[in-house]
Amino acid sequence: HSRSEQAMRDVIRSLPDGVYRYDEVREDGLHEPLLFKVAVEIRGDEILVDYAGTTRQQRYGVNAVLNCWYAVQLAGPAPLPSA
């Protein structure tokens, strides 16, 4: 656990501090388009993710996977640790 955490913190620390935004990504939400607004703030070895303005929670399993994927993509091209 601590080795994985340290590896992830090392990757995050290698990214420039700042706020990165990804707005107005629309995907098929089964019954309506979904709007994703993501602000990712990198501070040292921490990431804060804010989804304010994103389409409300849906009844179906369409929220978490896409939101998490977009947030990770914002973090940059550094490879993420798998162990």
Side-chain angles (χ1 to χ4, degrees):
H1 172 72
S2 63
R3 190 179 89 177
S4 295
E5 178 181 347
Q6 188 58 52
M8 181 55 114
R9 288 185 182 280
D10 290 344
V11 170
I12 296 168
R13 195 178 299 107
S14 73
L15 302 170
D17 283 355
V19 177
Y20 303 87
R21 298 182 190 282
Y22 198 66
D23 296 343
E24 300 184 24
V25 176
R26 297 180 185 273
E27 298 291 336
D28 181 11
L30 300 177
H31 299 293
E32 63 186 53
L34 300 177
L35 176 59
F36 295 97
K37 289 194 167 206
V38 183
V40 176
E41 183 176 356
I42 298 175
R43 282 192 218 155
D45 65 353
E46 295 183 341
I47 294 179
L48 291 88
V49 181
D50 181 2
Y51 294 105
T54 295
T55 301
R56 64 177 172 72
Q57 181 177 350
Q58 302 294 296
R59 292 181 48 191
Y60 308 100
V62 296
N63 287 7
V65 174
L66 287 175
N67 282 344
C68 292
W69 184 83
Y70 287 126
V72 170
Q73 294 305 309
L74 286 172
L80 297 176
S82 61

